[in-house]
Amino acid sequence: GYLRRINVDLSSEKVLKSLRDNPFFAADSSGNYTFRFDFYNSVFKYNAIFYKISEPGSFVLTDPFIDSLANDLKFNSIIFKGISNNFAESEMDEEIFISRLRGLIEEIYSHRNGEANLGFVHAKRKAVSNIAVLAVSACPGKPGTEILGLLFRDLARSDSALSVISRMYLVDIPMHQRFVFDFSAMYFTDSIFENYPQFVECIFDSDTYFSETCEINKVSSENVELRNISFARHNFDDKILSDDNSLYRAVMLKEKGGESASATVKKYLRAFYGINNRIAYNAPAVSFPDSLNGILPHGEITAILVVHGIVEEFPAGGFLLNPKLHSKINKFVMQNLSFPELNKALRDIDAKSLHSGNI
């Protein structure tokens, strides 16, 4: 497939003889020539893809080429790294490289436009997503947000105050700080975000909006810090919130005060304090405030704090705070100074809250 795309005449006996004599190629049972070693297959693929990027008119897109972009151009794969290295060693600057990638994305949009086959539609979207990840990763001299704008900004509908972002596909995005973006003053249409855990860590402002033409699925991270979430209900069309429960729960938790787990756990720990605002050394008859049930039932909070050694079961029944951590607990309650065991517990409570039905 790739040999044809770079205009190699496979009907030529001279070409076939050179392939037969080449130690890196072998004929399969159908008489087609393939690389003897997978590594060389990858090298050939990333060189062919880079050739298409650097010489846009070199050959037209085909289904196998798009499948390769979707399945082989994965973050940090041999092909991904090979293209990145080729670009780094080329004379192209980042502006030209990103411009060429935008052109390739436009070609993908146009190829078999209107296709009803869902598998192929997904492959096209995944190819676009992989290209976006490649651009952000291979161009460290530009902010990732700026790169997304250069790739997906609808020039006809955007102005200096608001960027209209159209047909942005971010699918199966790896966990990496480079892929946390600033969506301020962006209006999204016909875009898809799926299996992108750091979506909830991106920056949103009052002008950020995802229209009903967008799809957002599986975007919450187990390690999300609710107190750092910047989006709100008004950033999303109601249809989007009804389609993805994880996003809806994050919005609802934020609207309940956005205290994540920290303020809730502080109220919980306060219940163990006795006379003179001191921690009771004996297991008290703890009376938890009703507000604790706003994020998680206090029984579930207790279970998580027991796992992390902050709370211990009292032999005679009930619970008490771990005496070895009294000083740290007191500094958290009185001075808001955290400690490692608590940080782990807060992350678990945040994650449990996002994935529970207690909203």
Side-chain angles (χ1 to χ4, degrees):
Y2 283 98
L3 292 173
R4 289 188 179 89
R5 281 174 223 142
I6 58 176
N7 299 319
V8 174
D9 183 5
L10 295 179
S11 64
S12 166
E13 180 57 34
K14 182 179 179 181
V15 171
L16 293 176
K17 184 179 185 304
S18 69
L19 290 174
R20 285 193 295 268
D21 295 341
N22 194 309
F24 298 119
F25 291 94
D28 61 19
S29 58
S30 302
N32 297 316
Y33 284 89
T34 61
F35 285 98
R36 291 182 185 273
F37 309 104
D38 287 341
F39 173 76
Y40 289 109
N41 186 45
S42 296
V43 170
F44 193 81
K45 281 184 178 180
Y46 71 63
N47 282 329
I49 293 172
F50 186 73
Y51 183 63
K52 173 63 176 173
I53 294 170
S54 57
E55 300 289 340
S58 55
F59 54 86
V60 297
L61 293 188
T62 62
D63 292 1
F65 188 87
I66 290 176
D67 285 340
S68 184
L69 291 175
N71 299 314
D72 300 323
L73 187 59
K74 294 177 180 177
F75 181 65
N76 273 347
S77 66
I78 293 175
I79 292 172
F80 186 97
K81 291 179 178 178
I83 295 172
S84 299
N85 290 337
N86 281 356
F87 165 60
E89 294 169 2
S90 73
E91 296 182 357
M92 266 193 291
D93 62 25
E94 292 185 347
E95 290 279 353
I96 294 175
F97 184 63
I98 295 168
S99 175
R100 298 279 170 80
L101 291 178
R102 177 172 177 132
L104 180 56
I105 288 172
E106 293 290 343
E107 280 193 67
I108 294 171
Y109 291 152
S110 300
H111 183 72
R112 287 173 59 181
N113 191 28
E115 173 65 52
N117 184 292
L118 294 180
F120 187 68
V121 170
H122 178 75
K124 288 176 65 174
R125 292 171 177 171
K126 189 69 169 70
V128 170
S129 177
N130 287 345
I131 290 171
V133 170
L134 173 68
V136 172
S137 177
C139 300
K142 284 186 177 296
T145 302
E146 181 183 345
I147 293 171
L148 292 185
L150 292 171
L151 291 176
F152 301 107
R153 194 168 188 250
D154 187 328
L155 301 178
R157 294 190 289 169
S158 299
D159 56 34
S160 59
L162 187 70
S163 289
V164 176
I165 305 297
S166 181
R167 294 191 290 183
M168 175 192 287
Y169 306 135
L170 294 179
V171 181
D172 300 330
I173 303 301
M175 292 287 288
H176 191 285
Q177 187 58 35
R178 186 75 173 142
F179 306 122
V180 176
F181 304 108
D182 185 347
F183 292 150
S184 299
M186 289 186 177
Y187 184 98
F188 293 87
T189 66
D190 300 297
S191 297
I192 294 176
F193 304 83
E194 183 175 334
N195 195 23
Y196 175 18
Q198 288 180 285
F199 176 85
V200 295
E201 297 179 41
C202 293
I203 299 171
F204 301 73
D205 70 0
S206 59
D207 293 322
T208 306
Y209 190 72
F210 295 81
S211 75
E212 63 179 0
T213 61
C214 296
E215 296 178 25
I216 302 176
N217 300 294
K218 301 175 186 175
V219 293
S220 92
S221 166
E222 291 289 334
N223 298 317
V224 66
E225 299 273 358
L226 290 177
R227 56 185 170 273
N228 294 334
I229 289 176
S230 61
F231 59 69
R233 187 195 295 258
H234 67 260
N235 294 126
F236 307 96
D237 184 89
D238 288 343
K239 176 183 177 296
I240 294 174
L241 293 181
S242 66
D243 286 345
D244 185 68
N245 283 337
S246 64
L247 184 61
Y248 173 77
R249 286 177 178 144
V251 169
M252 293 301 99
L253 286 169
K254 180 74 180 295
E255 289 187 353
K256 282 180 176 290
E259 62 183 22
S260 66
S262 182
T264 300
V265 170
K266 190 173 290 186
K267 293 175 187 175
Y268 176 99
L269 297 174
R270 276 280 190 188
F272 286 86
Y273 279 62
I275 301 173
N276 298 325
N277 218 21
R278 294 179 182 274
I279 298 174
Y281 276 78
N282 295 319
V286 177
S287 177
F288 294 103
D290 292 338
S291 59
L292 279 179
N293 283 329
I295 183 169
L296 276 182
H298 58 72
E300 294 188 33
I301 295 175
T302 300
I304 292 172
L305 295 180
V306 167
V307 168
H308 292 286
I310 297 170
V311 170
E312 296 180 345
E313 288 195 57
F314 196 65
F319 299 88
L320 75 161
L321 301 182
N322 183 350
K324 295 179 181 178
L325 296 178
H326 278 191
S327 176
K328 292 181 178 180
I329 291 170
N330 206 49
K331 288 180 180 179
F332 168 67
V333 172
M334 299 299 180
Q335 303 173 43
N336 205 33
L337 297 177
S338 191
F339 52 95
E341 296 87 348
L342 179 64
N343 289 334
K344 293 175 183 177
L346 293 178
R347 284 196 295 270
D348 285 354
I349 292 170
D350 273 342
K352 180 81 170 178
S353 301
L354 277 176
H355 295 87
S356 74
N358 191 55
I359 298 178

